[in-house]
Amino acid sequence: MSSDINTVVKKYIETWNILDGAERRAAIDALFTENVEYADPNVHITGRDALDAYIAQTQAQIPGGVFALASEVSSHHDLGRFTWQVGPAGGAPFAVGYDFIAVEDGRVRRLYGFFS
């Protein structure tokens, strides 16, 4: 199961880097359950529409920011945790965080993020 979670997490991180709205939305529809729950220190939202809007808003606030996985994924029972970072391509990160993810039938059902 851990390899499945690793794949989901990698796709999740990639989604934050898709700037084209239609392409990003297609990735969200494929990766997240319809009623995905997402929470971080800034928001607590439900659903793909809200998640798509939040990712677009975040991208607009950090132009040129590239999200990357910054740790191995630790997982068990369709649950995972990992560290990520965002910064300029090839540069030092300006933000780091860690997330907890719950996967249901190969899709993200819940994700809880924390900023360091």
Side-chain angles (χ1 to χ4, degrees), residues 86-98:
V86 61
F94 51 74
V96 176
Y98 56 97

Side-chain angles (χ1 to χ4, degrees), residues 27 29 42-43 59 67 70 83 99 102 112:
D29 288 346
N42 296 324
V43 298
Q59 290 171 335
F67 287 82
T83 303
D99 290 359
Y112 305 107

